[in-house]
Structures are given as structure tokens and as C-alpha cells.
Amino acid sequence: MYRRAFLNLLPSKFSKEGLLYLPNSYKSPQIVHNARALSLSVANQKKRKSPEERAIENQGRRVIRYAPKAGTEVVGIWRNMTVQEIANVLKKDIDHVFKALEFADKESDIVYKKNTVIHNPQIIRDIVKISGCRFKIIAKPKEELEEEENKDAVPAPPAPVEALRRRPPVVCVMGHVDHGKTTLLDALRNTSVVETEFGGITQHIGAFEVHLQSGDKVTFLDTPGHAAFSAMRSRGAHATDIVVLVVAADDGVMEQTVQSIRMAREANVPILVAINKVDKPGVDIERTMKSLAQYGVVCEALGGDVQSIAVSALKRLNLDSLVEALIVQAQMMELKADPGGYVEGVVIESQVDAKVGKQATVLVQRGTLRQGCIVVAGTGWGKVRILKNAEGGIVTEAPPSTPVVVLGWRELPAAGDVVLEVPSEKRANEVMRWRHNQFMKEKQQSDLEVITVKAAEHNALYREQLMKRRAMGRFRVRATGPRDKMIQDDGHPTLSVLVKGDVDGSVEAILNILETYDEHHTVRLDLVHFGVGQLTPNDLEIAEAFNAVIFAFNVDIPPALAVEAKQNNVEVKRHNVIYKLVDEVKQLINQKIPTTQQEELLGEAKVLQQFLVSEGKKKVPVAGCRCTKGTLLRQALYKVIRNDQVVFEGKLASMKHLRDEVTSIKNDTECGIRFDDTSFDVQPGDIVVCYKLVDVTHTTEWDPGF
């Protein structure tokens, strides 16, 4: 009471020394220091304003009095949000945000719309508070790829009829291996390509133009007939106008012949049959045509609508008739294309040359490809630097139906990719980014499916182990040894391979063959790396790390790398024929298959009686036997069979004939044998089997299909 009264009078009662005696009680005084600060505090209390005065001053100011309670929903916000984005995170309609803005931003004259960006973060926070939510600062979510504008390059709309011009036909030569496809093409263009093919087998698609005596041009595609190159034949059928089905008159319809017919029908391409090797004696052309009729290819000679010409590519017989039939078929189809506008085409083959770098064979289907054009194909793009024809000569342009080798790729495309011209490098980079994003999205989706399956398996295993621990009364499994001992190898034999090929199509064919290997075989086959082009130091490092075998298909190995591979014990297998490569893979798999031991019967004996013989101070059992089959050997293994059950397995301690120790007993000879286990007793009538264990090697059951 006295202190409060004194504080009211304090400003007029200070002494000159700054000290003041203040009665703390009725009897004892207390000295108060720093009386000046105390006086200022009292002065501020006297200046305190009334609630009415504070309300007048706060008029026009932004005052938010609502504070969300703990436990309310938390929403994520970020800088520079639009009105629509705020409504989305609050899960409110747009009108709610507009009403909240009337309280959160009274001073501004901005007319808010749903796409208006709010730059003041305090306004965003206030809107969230008014809506009864709490907030947390997060990064702005990235837009989904589906919501992005499709920035991919697409083919142009069909050209008007007045812009179309006549173009040469594109002919694909297909058929079974060794039926003379390449020899037929050699005869048409007067070359000898077949001599350069390894084993007489075409390893990849060859694209070239043939100038006929009539002045017409025809583009030919020579596809491999081997079973491993089915993907190449399919691409050839889909990229051509006419399919020439070569059938040998002496062999008739074979497996790849039927496959070529099916691919031509899937591509909706007309078929022209060339019955080859008619110069051989004893051939039956009519039988060959009847065999084709069984698969729906009915020749004109049998009342059908498919042209068939009997030719001999080796003797150059009836080649004029074949060319005439091709030209007639092309004229009936009225093949035309627009030579102007942006270029469209397809990649026939791609490879990495050690001298010129990345190159791809492109079949132009629309437009005219020239030097300086910027093209995209799959995940690769480039600016055309050089154009080469099939003979290696440099050309300045390639009109429709022309195959050319394109140099200047920044990233190498894959065989079968669609080639599209774009106006600028900026546009090409934009297309590549969009395609990369789409690829990564698809990969993430596929990875998510695998992760989900693995997680389900892990959870099932965890629950199983958890139930076991609970049943045993344990809550923790302790390690039984060091961590490196806990990492266990499954002991499964594995063959790791690394594949390098000359062209993309060859690598594709090899990988398709390796995919046919069943993972449930005894030996696991792991593909650690693959690529196009000659071997690089990086390939050696990968092979050394995984203890892999390198298969170089029709590619060169630099001498320095060959020496390094030998020093690092890296096996490099070079091949130029695909079935020989597959045979060596099978041999390496057979070497990895562990051998098993199998019993080899040496002889049998019948127990006549058991005797107890003194040996020192002990009595040991001896079986008196007669050899009934084969020979009994002293150092072999033995087992005793009683009532069709094995009652003993082991070795002998002694074998005697009469009183002599012997090493073998022949058929129909009596003997006494003592087993190394003296506790085992034989019975009359037991069968003693003498055998040895031999190692048995196994071969893989993998059948790649050829």
C-alpha cells in the first residue's frame, strides 16, 4: 500500500544524489538505486493509452487476430503462389481465397484473378491462417509430364497431291539363309559382295541403289536370312514397298521363308517370288510353288495373283524378267513422295567407325536430305556433315527412296528409329530433353513395379522371421560373426559376358539370343555391358571388375588394348559369324557347369557266412563271400544291401583269399573281407556291391533356336 502510493509521487521526491530512501516496511528503510530508470518506467505507465485510443490508431492497419489451433491441418506453401495454387493447397474454391484476400490485403489496390501471382509471402501466410490451417514452407512442386506441352518432333501432315513426285521403289530381298539372296543382288548390280560376307552369311542390312539398263532406279535392302536376325528382317519389311521372296528350288520352303512371308503380310507389302538355283539338276519348280501355296502365297502359274520368276543368280538367268516384274509392280503401285519440306526417313543401320565416328544408314522416305540439315532419330540427333552413297562416294543430297550414310551425329540413333528434320539445334535439344524425360518416366514406372514386388517379398520374409523370433521368445537376432562373414555368396556359377559389335543390328541380334537363356539353368548368364564400336579401355575395366569374357563381333581390337587385356587376364573372343559366337558361349557355359560324381559298378559278391577271427586279443567279424559278378578291388568303395536297403557304406580293412592278402578277387571266387567298421555284422544272403565314383561332366540344355 505504501509502495504504490509512493510510486505515484516518485518523480517529485528524488534527491540530488540520485538516491532515495523508500520505506519497505514500517521500521526498516531500503535504498533504491538507478532511480532515473525507475522514474522513466513510471512515466511510460502514465502515458499508457486507453483501449478506445488504440482502436482509433489501428484503423486501416492489417491486423489478423485469428490463430489456428494446434492439431489443425498443415498445408505446404511456397513463394510467388498464384490465387489458384493457394485454393488448390487449401482444397477450397477460388471464391474463398478472394474473400480471405479482402482481410489479408486491405491496403493494396490490386484486382486479383485466379492466375494473379502473390509476391508478398506474408499475405499467403495470412490467407492460410484465415482459412484455419497451419503452414510449412516447401519447394514448388514440379509439374507432371502429362501436364507439359508435348514438345516431341512428329511427322508433317500428308503433302498435297500437286506436290507429289514419282520415286523409285524400295525392294527388300528376304528368304532363308543360303538361298542366294546376296548372290542375286550381286548379279543385279554387277558386284561380288558375297565374297566379302563371312561364311557367305549377311550379318546386317545392306542398302544400296541399282541403276537398271532401262534407266530406272531401284533401292534394294538385303536382309540376313539367319534365324538370329529376325528383328532386322522385320525392319526391312516395314521400310519397303515390295518384298522379293527368294526360295531355293532345291530346298523349297524353309523356316525363315515362312517367317519372311509372315513379316511381309504384317507390313502389308506385296510379295514377288524369285525361285532361285533353277540351274541345278533335278529341281522341281512346281513343287516349290505348291509348298508356297500352303502358306497362302499362290503364284500365277497355280491360278493366284503373286508373280513368280524362275532365276539363277549364279548363271544370271532370267534376271531381265525379274527386273521387268519389279518395274511393273512399282508402276501399278504409283509410288510417289514429296521431295520438298522437312525430311522424314528411317534408320536402317547404325555403327561407330574408328576413323569417322558415329554414322547411320538412313533411307529417306520424304523430303530431300542435304548437308547442314538437323535431324533427330530416337534418342540421337545430329547436324548432317557428310552424305555417302553405298559405294562410299560423297553426295550433296538424297531425295526420297535413297539410302545414304549420314555422318555428324552427336548421339548415335538405334536401328529402326524414325528420322525427322527439325529447324534448329535449339529445337533438336528441346526434343531430346522431352524424349529423355518420357524415357525416365517410363523407367521409373517399371522400376516402381519391380520395387513393389521386392518390397512385398521382403515384408513376407520379415513377417516369417518375426513369427519365428516370437515363437522362440527372442526379440533380437544377433550376428554370429563379423560382418564380412555375414555376406554370403550363393555359390551359383556365373558366366559374365560383355558384347561389342560393329553395328547396332548385330548387337541387337546377339542380345536377343542371350535373352533366350533361361535363368533357371545351372549356370547364370550375366550381361554386364554392351555397345557398338571397337573395344575401349572402359570395356576392359568393366570386364576386369566383373571377371567377364569380352565377345567382339566383327570389330577390331587396338594392339595396345590387346596387350593390356592379356596382362590383366581378360579373355577377348573375336567372331564374325554369329552362330560360331553362340557356340563358344555354350562351350564356356559347359565349362562352368560343376561336375557330379556317379557310381560305376565294379563287381558284386554274396555273403555266405560271417566268421569271428582273432586279431591280436580281439575278435573281429569277417564276411565269407563268393564273387558273383565282375571284380572286387581292395581299394574300392563298398556297400552292403539287405532286403533292398543299403545297411552299410564304407571301405575294406582287409581282403584275403584263403590265407593270403590280395588286392582283387575275380568272378566265381571265394574270399574273406573285413570292413573298416568292426561294429557292423553281415548276415548270410547280403549282397556286397563294389563300386567307384567317377566324375561326370554335363552340357547345357540351352537351345537358342538354331
Side-chain angles (χ1 to χ4, degrees):
M1 177 178 178
Y2 290 102
R3 293 173 62 85
R4 185 176 299 174
F6 179 77
L7 288 173
N8 292 333
L9 301 174
L10 189 60
S12 59
K13 299 296 181 180
F14 281 114
S15 64
K16 294 181 179 179
E17 293 80 6
L19 300 177
L20 180 68
Y21 289 96
L22 179 67
N24 191 29
S25 63
Y26 290 104
K27 296 181 180 180
S28 62
Q30 181 181 8
I31 300 176
V32 179
H33 297 275
N34 199 2
R36 181 176 179 80
L38 186 59
S39 66
L40 293 176
S41 176
V42 175
N44 290 335
Q45 290 183 3
K46 287 185 176 182
K47 295 179 180 178
R48 184 177 296 170
K49 298 178 181 180
S50 63
E52 292 78 8
E53 293 175 341
R54 289 197 301 272
I56 294 173
E57 290 183 358
N58 289 334
Q59 288 182 356
R61 296 183 182 178
R62 177 170 47 84
V63 180
I64 303 293
R65 299 188 179 278
Y66 185 87
K69 298 180 180 179
T72 55
E73 183 180 0
V74 179
V75 298
I77 61 174
W78 57 91
R79 285 183 172 272
N80 301 329
M81 294 181 69
T82 63
V83 176
Q84 184 63 53
E85 289 174 341
I86 297 175
N88 293 338
V89 298
L90 291 175
K91 299 178 182 178
K92 306 281 187 180
D93 56 13
I94 197 73
D95 294 334
H96 170 82
V97 181
F98 287 146
K99 291 179 181 178
L101 280 169
E102 295 177 0
F103 297 94
D105 191 13
K106 292 183 178 180
E107 299 178 356
S108 176
D109 296 332
I110 300 176
V111 178
Y112 287 98
K113 299 180 180 179
K114 69 175 184 177
N115 294 327
T116 304
V117 179
I118 301 176
H119 299 283
N120 189 348
Q122 184 60 43
I123 297 177
I124 300 175
R125 293 194 289 267
D126 291 345
I127 294 174
V128 175
K129 291 179 180 179
I130 292 173
S131 302
C133 299
R134 293 181 295 164
F135 63 86
K136 63 178 180 179
I137 306 300
I138 63 172
K140 183 178 181 180
K142 294 183 179 180
E143 296 181 358
E144 296 292 335
L145 292 179
E146 292 85 1
E147 298 178 359
E148 292 183 357
E149 180 185 357
N150 189 339
K151 298 180 180 179
D152 194 11
V154 295
V161 179
E162 57 272 12
L164 300 178
R165 299 291 182 270
R166 185 172 176 267
R167 64 173 178 85
V170 179
V171 179
C172 180
V173 181
M174 304 176 68
H176 193 73
V177 63
D178 199 28
H179 274 202
K181 300 181 299 298
T182 307
T183 306
L184 177 62
L185 294 173
D186 295 343
L188 291 173
R189 62 175 178 170
N190 297 322
T191 59
S192 58
V193 178
V194 70
E195 296 178 0
T196 64
E197 297 287 357
F198 299 104
I201 300 175
T202 303
Q203 302 288 336
H204 47 77
I205 295 179
F208 50 86
E209 282 185 315
V210 175
H211 295 266
L212 305 176
Q213 295 180 355
S214 60
D216 296 322
K217 290 193 304 182
V218 179
T219 298
F220 283 98
L221 301 181
D222 181 16
T223 61
H226 200 275
F229 298 95
S230 60
M232 289 191 186
R233 290 194 297 276
S234 178
R235 284 198 298 270
H238 283 78
T240 56
D241 304 312
I242 305 171
V243 168
V244 174
L245 184 64
V246 179
V247 184
D250 54 347
D251 283 347
V253 178
M254 304 295 287
E255 180 181 356
Q256 273 67 59
T257 309
V258 178
Q259 190 182 62
S260 300
I261 295 172
R262 178 178 55 81
M263 292 177 178
R265 287 179 173 171
E266 290 177 356
N268 196 20
V269 178
I271 298 176
L272 191 149
V273 177
I275 302 176
N276 195 19
K277 301 183 181 181
V278 296
D279 56 315
K280 285 189 174 183
V283 297
D284 190 348
I285 299 177
E286 185 177 357
R287 179 178 59 84
T288 303
M289 289 190 293
K290 290 181 179 179
S291 300
L292 289 171
Q294 296 178 1
Y295 298 96
V297 180
V298 183
C299 301
E300 292 179 344
L302 300 179
D305 56 353
V306 177
Q307 298 184 72
S308 62
I309 297 91
V311 298
S312 173
L314 191 62
K315 301 293 184 179
R316 300 178 184 269
L317 298 177
N318 298 333
L319 295 185
D320 295 338
S321 301
L322 177 62
V323 172
E324 182 180 354
L326 284 173
I327 295 175
V328 170
Q329 183 68 42
Q331 291 176 351
M332 293 173 57
M333 298 175 67
E334 297 182 353
L335 301 173
K336 294 181 179 180
D338 179 16
Y342 287 124
V343 175
E344 296 177 15
V346 62
V347 176
I348 299 299
E349 198 54 88
S350 61
Q351 62 180 340
V352 179
D353 190 276
K355 298 180 181 179
V356 299
K358 302 181 180 70
Q359 61 183 21
T361 302
V362 176
L363 176 64
V364 181
Q365 296 173 324
R366 179 179 176 181
T368 302
L369 186 61
R370 298 181 176 88
Q371 294 182 5
C373 291
I374 300 171
V375 292
V376 296
T379 57
W381 74 280
K383 185 176 182 180
V384 179
R385 293 190 294 109
I386 299 175
L387 294 175
K388 292 184 178 181
N389 55 20
E391 289 76 22
I394 297 178
V395 296
T396 58
E397 62 180 22
S401 299
T402 304
V404 286
V405 177
V406 179
L407 280 73
W409 296 94
R410 306 292 177 86
E411 297 293 337
L412 191 66
D417 288 341
V418 177
V419 179
L420 298 174
E421 183 183 1
V422 293
S424 63
E425 292 188 16
K426 180 179 179 181
R427 172 62 177 147
N429 289 321
E430 186 179 53
V431 173
M432 290 298 102
R433 284 194 299 269
W434 193 89
R435 292 182 177 180
H436 176 73
N437 291 338
Q438 293 294 316
F439 171 76
M440 293 304 297
K441 181 181 176 183
E442 294 175 359
K443 185 176 183 300
Q444 290 173 359
Q445 184 64 29
S446 61
D447 291 346
L448 179 60
E449 296 176 359
V450 177
I451 292 172
T452 303
V453 174
K454 292 293 184 181
E457 294 176 355
H458 172 75
N459 293 336
L461 180 62
Y462 172 76
R463 286 192 296 268
E464 181 181 355
Q465 295 176 349
L466 181 63
M467 296 302 294
K468 289 182 179 180
R469 289 198 299 267
R470 289 178 176 176
M472 297 172 62
R474 300 177 183 177
F475 297 93
R476 181 178 299 174
V477 177
R478 296 184 178 180
T480 58
R483 184 175 182 274
D484 54 351
K485 293 183 180 179
M486 297 171 62
I487 303 175
Q488 299 180 355
D489 186 9
D490 58 359
H492 205 86
T494 302
L495 174 63
S496 301
V497 297
L498 186 150
V499 178
K500 294 299 290 286
D502 56 343
V503 295
D504 183 72
S506 299
V507 175
E508 178 189 23
I510 296 173
L511 298 185
N512 289 339
I513 293 174
L514 297 181
E515 285 181 357
T516 62
Y517 187 83
D518 191 356
E519 60 180 7
H520 297 96
H521 285 297
T522 307
V523 179
R524 183 184 295 117
L525 181 62
D526 285 345
L527 177 67
V528 298
H529 182 64
F530 64 90
V532 178
Q534 67 178 7
L535 260 66
T536 62
N538 184 48
D539 297 330
L540 290 184
E541 293 179 2
I542 295 175
E544 185 178 4
F546 289 92
N547 193 23
V549 180
I550 299 177
F551 287 92
F553 186 77
N554 202 19
V555 294
D556 296 328
I557 304 175
L561 288 182
V563 174
E564 184 179 354
K566 187 175 182 180
Q567 292 175 350
N568 297 332
N569 296 323
V570 177
E571 288 188 82
V572 180
K573 307 290 186 180
R574 295 188 60 185
H575 291 279
N576 48 33
V577 179
I578 193 166
Y579 63 79
K580 292 184 179 180
L581 183 148
V582 177
D583 289 342
E584 184 150 11
V585 172
K586 295 174 69 174
Q587 292 178 5
L588 294 176
I589 292 175
N590 293 335
Q591 295 175 6
K592 292 283 185 177
I593 298 177
T595 59
T596 59
Q597 288 188 326
Q598 186 176 350
E599 296 180 1
E600 181 179 340
L601 181 65
L602 299 177
E604 288 184 4
K606 185 177 181 181
V607 177
L608 302 177
Q609 189 177 355
Q610 178 175 279
F611 303 94
L612 293 177
V613 180
S614 298
E615 190 174 273
K617 296 182 180 180
K618 296 182 179 180
K619 296 285 186 177
V620 294
V622 175
C625 305
R626 173 179 283 122
C627 182
T628 58
K629 182 188 298 184
T631 305
L632 305 182
L633 299 180
R634 165 70 174 78
Q635 301 298 330
L637 299 174
Y638 286 83
K639 57 184 176 180
V640 179
I641 300 176
R642 182 182 302 160
N643 298 327
D644 296 332
Q645 292 185 354
V646 178
V647 295
F648 172 80
E649 284 185 297
K651 296 183 178 180
L652 297 184
S654 175
M655 174 185 287
K656 290 185 177 183
H657 176 61
L658 300 178
R659 294 180 178 271
D660 300 328
E661 187 75 23
V662 294
T663 58
S664 64
I665 296 294
K666 295 182 179 180
N667 187 19
D668 201 20
T669 304
E670 294 184 355
C671 63
I673 58 176
R674 180 166 61 87
F675 298 103
D676 57 358
D677 185 3
T678 58
S679 62
F680 174 69
D681 294 329
V682 297
Q683 297 179 4
D686 290 347
I687 303 298
V688 179
V689 178
C690 177
Y691 67 96
K692 67 177 181 179
L693 296 177
V694 294
D695 292 334
V696 179
T697 58
H698 301 275
T699 57
T700 179
E701 298 177 356
W702 174 39
D703 183 12
F706 58 87

